[in-house]
Amino acid sequence: MDAALITAIGALLAAPVAAAAAIYGTRGAARAAREGGALTGYSTLTDQLQEERDDMRAQLTQLRTDLAAERAESARLRLIITRMGGTP
């Protein structure tokens, strides 16, 4: 066997190996892209949930403040009614 024949046989054997490596590499890249997208999606969802939680906490604080003011106003009006001789 001369060098040209050995090179040709080597090329014929290397082609399927290279094709298999390319397919495996493409699958790995696709999987990495999917997993990266999932992590990015998870991170985005977490950020959105944390923002929503912060908004809800702010609303709750405002509602508690409003309730305290309403209770104070109710107590003030009851006191006025009592001072005028009525029953609240």
Side-chain angles (χ1 to χ4, degrees), residues 25-51:
T26 302
R27 287 183 182 170
R31 182 177 52 242
R34 280 193 312 269
E35 290 173 358
L39 289 176
T40 302
Y42 176 78
S43 179
T44 301
L45 179 60
T46 302
D47 291 343
Q48 289 173 349
L49 288 173
Q50 288 174 344
E51 288 175 12

Side-chain angles (χ1 to χ4, degrees), residues 68-81 88:
E70 292 296 325
R71 285 182 176 167
E73 178 66 9
S74 177
R76 185 185 73 80
L77 293 174
R78 286 176 185 267
L79 181 61
I80 292 172
I81 292 171

Side-chain angles (χ1 to χ4, degrees), residues 4-73:
L5 183 59
I6 292 174
T7 303
I9 291 173
L12 288 174
L13 293 175
V17 172
I23 290 171
Y24 180 75
T26 302
R27 287 183 182 170
R31 182 177 52 242
R34 280 193 312 269
E35 290 173 358
L39 289 176
T40 302
Y42 176 78
S43 179
T44 301
L45 179 60
T46 302
D47 291 343
Q48 289 173 349
L49 288 173
Q50 288 174 344
E51 288 175 12
E52 185 177 337
R53 181 199 61 204
D54 293 342
D55 290 344
M56 297 304 282
R57 282 183 177 165
Q59 287 179 9
L60 180 59
T61 300
Q62 183 61 46
L63 288 172
R64 285 180 175 165
T65 302
D66 292 347
L67 179 60
E70 292 296 325
R71 285 182 176 167
E73 178 66 9

